[in-house]
Amino acid sequence: MDTPDRFHFCTRRTVEFADTDMAGIVYFTHFLRYAATAEQEWLRSLGVRFLATDGTLAGGWPRVEASCRYRAPARWQDELRVALRVREVRTCGFSYDFWIFGPGAPAGEALAEGFCAVAHVALDPATGQRQKTPLPEELRRRLLAPPDQPLPAV
Amino acid sequence: MDTPDRFHFCTRRTVEFADTDMAGIVYFTHFLRYAATAEQEWLRSLGVRFLATDGTLAGGWPRVEASCRYRAPARWQDELRVALRVREVRTCGFSYDFWIFGPGAPAGEALAEGFCAVAHVALDPATGQRQKTPLPEELRRRLLAPPDQPLPAV
Amino acid sequence: MDTPDRFHFCTRRTVEFADTDMAGIVYFTHFLRYAATAEQEWLRSLGVRFLATDGTLAGGWPRVEASCRYRAPARWQDELRVALRVREVRTCGFSYDFWIFGPGAPAGEALAEGFCAVAHVALDPATGQRQKTPLPEELRRRLLAPPDQPLPAV
Amino acid sequence: MDTPDRFHFCTRRTVEFADTDMAGIVYFTHFLRYAATAEQEWLRSLGVRFLATDGTLAGGWPRVEASCRYRAPARWQDELRVALRVREVRTCGFSYDFWIFGPGAPAGEALAEGFCAVAHVALDPATGQRQKTPLPEELRRRLLAPPDQPLPAV
């Protein structure tokens, strides 16, 4: 998977001490959390409302699949950049590739890269159950737009 | 706080790799999680039903206060023993002291010891809100019983 | 990926409250931690020594790749069974498939299934650096043995 | 403990989804992590160098004691403000009080407030062991300065 030069969304975060393990590096599962947190920030920026007026979840975006390839470790205090790019848009969900950049990898290369597929669910008022629900049309349109965000400078 | 020789509840757990940090030891907040997890195991053993029939929380035991004093570190693969003892029983809650024992401390001494106060809340069917609720009488009786569990052998 | 009926290693764990999120289910990254923890328990059972005599890491098993497909959620107090099976053994590492079973899926089906590839690294005394190192011959032999563990009963 | 109007350090953070639990609120131990992360950011701003040139820990600030009182919950997406204030400076460590502010509490009141005491340790080159070490004089001077930071506006 080559690193593209345009993404649908990019964000930054700094590695916290609590994310490290006794090998002195970020524990591997946190990369997937970093990607999922970026995804939520991105969806919010696209107008997705996650919370109902009472503060509970209005619907949800359960994971269908997640994967990550690890190239180089991240360490405490590293300033990371997380970049996402839509891979596929489906009726009731979508998938994206992600890249995590940091000082532990050569310029232009990612520490880690991965993939995540999520479903869109909403509460069915008739049954009180969450069930797969088509993406709102406006969101679908945004997800299908070509990626136009360059990776922010270090 | 001297270490007592009788407790209301004792349990074991093994330190996971993911609980360590780059200092090579268990990150400090996990000791409080170990105590809270022991507390839940203990309350279950006393008959507390946490979950409604639909799998959601029937009520709750929100933290009012938690504290811990750190004597010696815990490390990956350490076999820990967590011991709890009621300090005070109130109308709508209770508090307990806890001790965490492991190989990093001399025999009979705890790696860490702390305190936790919890409130008892339940859903008010009239309002749909969670609110402070008196402890069930049988639970109160059990919490007020003298501690009779010795620390299990290593 | 069909669920096999023999594995190289099976273990159990109970879902902790702290592993849940506000959707009421286990946060998705924890499944990968459950698999990695089972992997470490398995390697220990095969004689791998992770720690040097001073308690620091003797070498390491860094992640090369990890992935998970989510079929059904896990919930607090669920008794999970985690099963691993070698997929490929290489000179300096190996990969395995994993399955996580719990009450949220029909009998015989996994809540989640995934894949993990790990490298074997050891400290090079000459340079003080960790570098890729061939698997010990006895470990390689064990990893190449046919899987013979049935899934434990619920 | 009344909320003061001047602190030694204030910072912001946003609650991540992964920090919530099935009760729909931030799991209680994360408040202590939020305080410890703010502490590290503060010490860095005071010139403390945590890492040796090889990226390993130069010394450390192990916890001696930590506590927290919980007034109101924090929720996903809440914009929190974390404020610290020195309580006591000792030869080889110091303690501070902390307050966590967020939308779940009335203006001017904290969601949670707590206390943390840390020791200062450094590697003894003669023995290779970490041991208690006096605070650097410049750091001591800064810790003893009167708090002069107002809480940032929401």
Side-chain angles (χ1 to χ4, degrees), chain A residues 22-23 25 27-30 32-33 36-37 51 55-57 62-71 116 130, chain C residues 22-23 25 27-30 32-33 36-37 51 55-57 62-71 116 130:
Chain A
M22 69 183 290
I25 63 178
Y27 187 67
F28 78 109
T29 65
H30 296 310
L32 289 162
R33 173 167 61 85
T37 301
L51 301 177
T56 60
L57 286 174
R63 310 293 99 173
V64 173
E65 183 175 353
S67 68
C68 191
R69 292 184 64 87
Y70 300 88
R71 309 287 189 195
C116 196
R130 285 194 178 100
Chain C
M22 69 182 290
I25 62 178
Y27 187 67
F28 78 107
T29 65
H30 296 310
L32 290 163
R33 172 167 63 85
T37 301
L51 301 177
T56 59
L57 286 174
R63 309 293 99 172
V64 174
E65 185 175 352
S67 69
C68 190
R69 290 183 66 87
Y70 300 88
R71 309 289 190 193
C116 196
R130 285 193 178 101

Side-chain angles (χ1 to χ4, degrees), chain A residues 12-127:
Chain A
R12 296 169 184 278
R13 65 183 300 149
T14 304
V15 172
E16 289 194 44
F17 186 84
D19 289 352
T20 64
D21 62 30
M22 69 183 290
I25 63 178
V26 170
Y27 187 67
F28 78 109
T29 65
H30 296 310
F31 283 67
L32 289 162
R33 173 167 61 85
Y34 297 168
T37 301
E39 168 203 327
Q40 293 167 326
E41 188 183 344
W42 172 39
L43 292 180
R44 283 184 80 187
S45 77
L46 297 182
V48 170
R49 301 270 293 276
F50 291 98
L51 301 177
T53 49
D54 66 354
T56 60
L57 286 174
W61 298 87
R63 310 293 99 173
V64 173
E65 183 175 353
S67 68
C68 191
R69 292 184 64 87
Y70 300 88
R71 309 287 189 195
R75 298 175 190 279
W76 183 34
Q77 299 178 357
D78 279 0
E79 307 275 350
L80 304 180
R81 291 166 296 163
V82 183
L84 310 181
R85 201 160 99 140
V86 172
R87 185 191 285 196
E88 187 184 18
V89 179
R90 297 195 169 200
T91 306
C92 300
F94 69 99
S95 64
Y96 60 90
D97 296 307
F98 67 84
W99 294 261
I100 296 177
F101 298 89
E109 294 180 25
L111 298 176
E113 61 199 36
F115 165 79
C116 196
V118 298
H120 179 232
V121 302
L123 274 181
D124 179 341
T127 66

Side-chain angles (χ1 to χ4, degrees), chain C residues 33-102:
Chain C
R33 172 167 63 85
Y34 297 168
T37 301
E39 169 203 326
Q40 292 167 327
E41 187 183 343
W42 173 37
L43 292 180
R44 284 184 79 185
S45 76
L46 298 181
V48 170
R49 301 271 291 277
F50 291 99
L51 301 177
T53 49
D54 66 354
T56 59
L57 286 174
W61 299 87
R63 309 293 99 172
V64 174
E65 185 175 352
S67 69
C68 190
R69 290 183 66 87
Y70 300 88
R71 309 289 190 193
R75 298 175 190 279
W76 182 34
Q77 300 178 356
D78 278 0
E79 307 276 347
L80 304 180
R81 292 166 294 163
V82 184
L84 309 181
R85 201 160 102 138
V86 172
R87 184 192 285 195
E88 188 185 15
V89 179
R90 297 194 169 201
T91 306
C92 300
F94 68 99
S95 64
Y96 60 91
D97 295 308
F98 67 84
W99 293 262
I100 298 178
F101 298 89

Side-chain angles (χ1 to χ4, degrees), chain D residues 68-87:
Chain D
C68 191
R69 292 183 65 87
Y70 300 88
R71 308 289 189 193
R75 297 175 190 279
W76 183 33
Q77 302 177 355
D78 279 0
E79 308 274 348
L80 305 180
R81 292 166 293 163
V82 183
L84 310 180
R85 202 161 101 140
V86 173
R87 184 191 285 195

Side-chain angles (χ1 to χ4, degrees), chain B residues 21-25 27-30 32-34 36-37 40 51 55-57 62-71 116 130, chain D residues 21-25 27-30 32-34 36-37 40 51 55-57 62-71 116 130:
Chain B
D21 62 30
M22 68 183 290
I25 61 178
Y27 187 67
F28 78 108
T29 64
H30 295 310
L32 289 162
R33 173 168 61 88
Y34 297 166
T37 301
Q40 292 168 327
L51 300 177
T56 59
L57 286 175
R63 312 290 99 172
V64 174
E65 184 175 353
S67 68
C68 190
R69 292 183 64 86
Y70 300 88
R71 308 287 189 195
C116 196
R130 287 195 177 99
Chain D
D21 62 30
M22 68 183 290
I25 61 177
Y27 188 66
F28 78 108
T29 66
H30 295 310
L32 289 161
R33 174 168 61 86
Y34 297 167
T37 301
Q40 292 167 327
L51 300 176
T56 59
L57 286 175
R63 312 290 99 174
V64 175
E65 185 174 353
S67 68
C68 191
R69 292 183 65 87
Y70 300 88
R71 308 289 189 193
C116 195
R130 286 196 178 97

Side-chain angles (χ1 to χ4, degrees), chain B residues 7-27:
Chain B
F7 304 93
H8 283 92
F9 185 74
C10 301
T11 189
R12 297 170 184 276
R13 67 182 299 150
T14 305
V15 172
E16 288 193 43
F17 186 84
D19 289 353
T20 62
D21 62 30
M22 68 183 290
I25 61 178
V26 171
Y27 187 67

